[in-house]
Amino acid sequence: METVEEKKLIVTKIKEGTVIDRIPPGKAMKVLHVLGINDNYPYTVALAMRVKSKKMQLKDIVKIKGKMLTPEESQKLSLIAPNAVVNIINDYKVEKKIVLEIPEQVSEIIRCLNPNCVTNNREPVSPIFYVVSKEPLILRCKYCDRLLEGQNLSEQL
Ligand code: ZN
């Protein structure tokens, strides 16, 4: 059973900002890291891990006051928390709800590990990766075909 305290933490409302719901259990800290939320963040941040969920059994939730996601952040987030739901809050109401999805293609946010890849040259071409597998996540460089997966990939997120 959820205690009253647990319930309160989960429903605490923020005036404006972002609520990310249905994060895979245990990934909330990584989500905050990707969004650049650290000790110095000046506004309220609420984090709940391993909350009971009807759809997923267990899930994480983060609420970040005063934060709007950039397209790059959304893209990174979709790679670590696919199917998470991003709620944009304005004046205590959900203004927009976005269900994250792993894209077919990932650009800019990740670097190719092949030192000879054209994306790592002196005048670099922007890295682009194709998503070749979503579960587990595997990316393939558009230019040199080098695969990126597992630890090498998660270190860059
Ligand atoms: Zn490459």
Side-chain angles (χ1 to χ4, degrees):
M1 279 295 285
E2 259 172 16
T3 65
V4 175
E5 280 307 310
E6 266 178 286
K7 267 231 158 72
K8 243 195 230 166
L9 171 67
I10 295 159
V11 299
T12 296
K13 292 205 166 177
I14 55 175
K15 185 160 188 270
E16 72 277 297
T18 301
V19 175
I20 306 165
D21 196 1
R22 287 193 223 152
I23 300 168
K27 297 273 191 199
M29 307 282 277
K30 183 84 182 169
V31 166
L32 290 183
H33 172 77
V34 159
L35 300 182
I37 308 293
N38 58 24
D39 324 17
N40 299 320
Y41 191 72
Y43 306 115
T44 305
V45 177
L47 177 155
M49 286 173 84
R50 299 204 162 79
V51 179
K52 284 199 188 96
S53 155
K54 277 181 195 145
K55 291 210 168 167
M56 304 171 62
Q57 298 187 324
L58 291 176
K59 65 177 181 180
D60 288 5
I61 305 171
V62 301
K63 301 189 181 199
I64 311 161
K65 189 183 165 189
K67 174 79 184 167
M68 294 294 157
L69 305 191
T70 65
E72 288 80 24
E73 287 169 339
S74 296
Q75 202 180 193
K76 273 196 176 184
L77 213 55
S78 74
L79 299 180
I80 60 169
N83 310 319
V85 180
V86 176
N87 298 281
I88 295 161
I89 311 292
N90 198 0
D91 205 16
Y92 298 104
K93 292 192 190 81
V94 177
E95 194 175 74
K96 205 170 165 197
K97 214 181 241 285
I98 302 156
V99 180
L100 294 179
E101 231 181 309
I102 297 178
E104 300 294 313
Q105 210 173 290
V106 177
S107 48
E108 309 278 353
I109 59 171
I110 287 171
R111 289 173 46 117
C112 183
L113 294 180
N114 174 3
N116 298 321
C117 180
V118 65
T119 62
N120 289 321
N121 279 354
R122 205 186 290 168
E123 287 181 68
V125 173
S126 292
I128 297 176
F129 289 89
Y130 298 121
V131 175
V132 292
S133 161
K134 294 186 177 182
E135 185 64 57
L137 187 60
I138 302 173
L139 307 181
R140 178 167 55 82
C141 177
K142 176 184 173 180
Y143 300 100
C144 73
D145 285 338
R146 172 76 71 101
L147 295 179
L148 189 57
E149 58 189 311
Q151 186 68 20
N152 287 330
L153 177 55
S154 60
E155 270 169 11
Q156 289 203 50
L157 292 174

